Amino acid sequence: MTASAHALEFLQVAAAAADSKAGEDLVAIDVSNPLPLTDIFLIVTGRSERNVVAIAGEIEDKMTEAGHKPLRREGRAEGRWVLVDFGDLVVHIFHEEERVYYSLERLWKDCPVIPIALPAHKAAE
């Protein structure tokens, strides 16, 4: 099984939103085969608690604008690991230290990585 077109659409919206708030090391993993409830994990790193919360907020805002409301969210108050569940897409926004500690990429290493197309940034003038 592979991620649905709907989930891939979610991924692009969420990834662009994360990128716009300086989210780093974006990795998308197709977990549709081992997990029947979701298709994709998007993993993002923020440099501080404030940055993690800002990334999560922007993702929620852009996904809602695109007609995709979150089903649930966890961890926003702490700003160390925020999980936002959109059904076919689950977004994990980690503080740097938690990303290394929990290492979701290692846990899901048998699942395929999905390429992410991010908008080009304007060069500094």
Side-chain angles (χ1 to χ4, degrees), residues 1-52:
M1 212 172 163
T2 60
S4 68
H6 194 95
L8 294 170
E9 174 192 322
F10 282 13
L11 171 63
Q12 293 309 318
V13 172
D19 184 59
S20 76
K21 290 294 181 184
E24 298 180 348
D25 302 323
L26 279 70
V27 175
I29 302 171
D30 183 338
V31 294
S32 61
N33 194 27
L35 295 178
L37 299 176
T38 193
D39 284 356
I40 300 172
F41 282 173
L42 173 60
I43 305 168
V44 182
T45 299
R47 292 213 170 259
S48 66
E49 288 90 351
R50 178 180 248 170
N51 186 222
V52 168

Side-chain angles (χ1 to χ4, degrees), residues 81 94 97-107:
W81 176 4
F94 285 101
E97 295 163 5
E98 275 70 12
R99 174 111 182 230
V100 171
Y101 181 79
Y102 290 104
S103 189
L104 289 186
E105 296 96 318
R106 181 181 52 80
L107 292 173

